[in-house]
Amino acid sequence: MWRLLAIVAAVFLIAGCQNKAIQDPYTLPKLQQVEPAEHQVIVRLLNDAMLGKEVYSLKDLVVDPESYKNGNIQRGDVVYFFYPAEVLSKYPEIELQQALRVVALSGETISMKRGQVFINGDKLDAFYGKDMNNDVKVLKKKLKEPDLFDFEKENFNNLIRTVESENLEEQVVPEGMLFLLGDNRMRALDSYFFGPIAEENIIGKVIGYTK
């Protein structure tokens, strides 16, 4: 009897280890309306890199330059930053500043499999752990809808192929750097393309929006 219980316990332990996931119960998918303080700045994005649960480009965003005085950058934060000079030289048409989401912190190992982010080998089970606009399961479900035109089917198939090709080999985020991704991956120039960004490039945290 005791031997049987030990085997059952071991099975549950192994199953638990295989299903570890990193969760983020603190980051809200929606921006909150705030009254900006004197030291905070108002910015407006001119692209849809952060089009996900929230349409960032349609709001006046409030950025707090003092949020990280103590260096307490958290996963899930949306930060406003300067693109590094080497990125600007490669992509001269982009804006100098942008807002993206912190996905991996200094010292962490990040990888991506078919659009899903993994941190230190564990699935990032948060609303921003994968492309919010192009969930493969949702796309495949839409593909089965009746009366789709051929061009619609082709569009869905192209989106599915693109998302499933979003793979990233494991890499360690260097000390003093962050791995940033857009909520709308297909429209974002982010760390998937240019790698981690230095914390010194961060202007401040996007804390909400104002009227």
Side-chain angles (χ1 to χ4, degrees), residues 152-195:
E152 291 176 310
K153 294 179 181 178
E154 183 61 25
N155 286 341
F156 284 132
N157 280 317
N158 286 336
L159 286 172
I160 291 169
R161 282 193 292 268
T162 300
V163 174
E164 292 187 333
S165 69
E166 288 183 346
N167 298 302
L168 186 70
E169 293 295 323
E170 284 192 349
Q171 60 176 273
V172 178
V173 180
E175 188 65 32
M177 304 195 81
L178 303 165
F179 200 94
L180 310 179
L181 289 177
D183 286 354
N184 187 10
R185 304 266 184 85
M186 293 189 186
R187 301 286 292 174
L189 180 61
D190 53 23
S191 292
Y192 180 80
F193 294 99
F194 57 75

Side-chain angles (χ1 to χ4, degrees), residues 19 21 25 45 54 70 85 94 105 116 124 131 137 145 152 157 160 168 197 202:
N19 291 291
L45 301 183
E54 185 68 80
N70 298 321
I94 64 173
L105 306 169
Q116 173 64 56
L124 178 56
D131 192 321
K137 290 182 180 179
E145 292 178 358
E152 291 176 310
N157 280 317
I160 291 169
L168 186 70
I197 191 169
I202 304 299

Side-chain angles (χ1 to χ4, degrees), residues 21-166:
I22 295 177
Q23 298 181 332
D24 179 1
Y26 306 105
T27 302
L28 300 175
K30 288 284 189 178
L31 282 171
Q32 304 299 301
Q33 185 173 341
V34 298
E35 186 66 32
E38 288 186 4
H39 71 279
Q40 295 167 346
V41 295
I42 311 299
V43 301
R44 174 67 75 100
L45 301 183
L46 300 179
N47 57 64
D48 55 2
M50 288 300 294
L51 175 62
K53 300 289 185 181
E54 185 68 80
V55 185
Y56 281 70
S57 59
L58 297 182
K59 290 181 167 64
D60 290 322
L61 305 178
V62 181
V63 176
D64 188 351
E66 298 183 1
S67 287
Y68 301 127
K69 277 190 173 181
N70 298 321
N72 56 339
I73 300 177
Q74 302 293 320
R75 188 188 337 278
D77 286 357
V78 175
V79 296
Y80 192 64
F81 67 98
F82 288 104
Y83 277 115
E86 58 270 22
V87 176
L88 291 172
S89 63
K90 188 175 181 180
Y91 304 96
E93 72 282 359
I94 64 173
E95 301 172 61
L96 297 178
Q97 297 90 30
Q98 176 61 35
L100 294 172
R101 193 177 299 278
V102 178
V103 175
L105 306 169
S106 297
E108 293 183 331
T109 298
I110 183 170
S111 61
M112 193 182 298
K113 298 175 184 177
R114 300 176 73 181
Q116 173 64 56
V117 174
F118 292 83
I119 305 294
N120 298 330
D122 297 325
K123 177 182 177 181
L124 178 56
D125 189 17
F127 68 87
Y128 53 87
K130 56 186 176 181
D131 192 321
M132 283 184 247
N133 287 293
N134 297 291
D135 187 306
V136 172
K137 290 182 180 179
V138 175
L139 292 173
K140 288 183 176 180
K141 186 176 180 180
K142 289 182 177 179
L143 193 56
K144 294 179 181 179
E145 292 178 358
D147 302 323
L148 285 178
F149 291 106
D150 288 341
F151 77 90
E152 291 176 310
K153 294 179 181 178
E154 183 61 25
N155 286 341
F156 284 132
N157 280 317
N158 286 336
L159 286 172
I160 291 169
R161 282 193 292 268
T162 300
V163 174
E164 292 187 333
S165 69
E166 288 183 346

